[in-house]
Amino acid sequence: MSQRDEPYESLGLGLREWGDRRGAEVLGPLDTAGMDPTWILRLRGRVIEAEVALFYGPRAEVAAYQLERPEDGMFVAWESGVSASRLVELLDGLGQWEGGGERPGWLRVSSF
């Protein structure tokens, strides 16, 4: 692992630790080039399904929907320059939503 890769590796390992505690599927580190994600977390719960992708930058992209309300559409968020602590905040927000809490305010309805 080069110094250039280290921050992404640290973020990915944090993603893996969080995913392991929540029973989420985590893929990575992925051997990618260009615009493909370096890590992916897939959370499939009783309330929501969500995917968090980490990219070089570091950039995090989140897509989620509520299983009992698919008519509400897909909720998305993205953030560049994401830190390890911010990544945990994003993940914890999804975890709270899955646990019956409110949808995180940083998630917005997708316009796609």
Side-chain angles (χ1 to χ4, degrees), residues 16-59:
R16 180 174 306 285
E17 288 174 12
W18 191 94
D20 287 348
R21 286 192 310 269
R22 296 287 185 151
E25 175 186 16
V26 179
L27 306 172
L30 303 171
D31 185 21
T32 63
M35 299 182 66
D36 294 326
T38 57
W39 291 81
I40 299 171
L41 176 138
R42 292 187 179 120
L43 177 63
R44 292 184 178 98
R46 296 173 292 105
V47 177
I48 67 168
E49 281 197 15
E51 184 170 287
V52 178
L54 291 179
F55 297 84
Y56 286 110
R59 180 177 174 89

Side-chain angles (χ1 to χ4, degrees), residues 18 22 43 45-48 91-102:
W18 191 94
R22 296 287 185 151
L43 177 63
R46 296 173 292 105
V47 177
I48 67 168
L91 294 168
D92 285 348
L94 292 173
Q96 290 170 6
W97 190 19
E98 169 57 30
E102 295 292 318

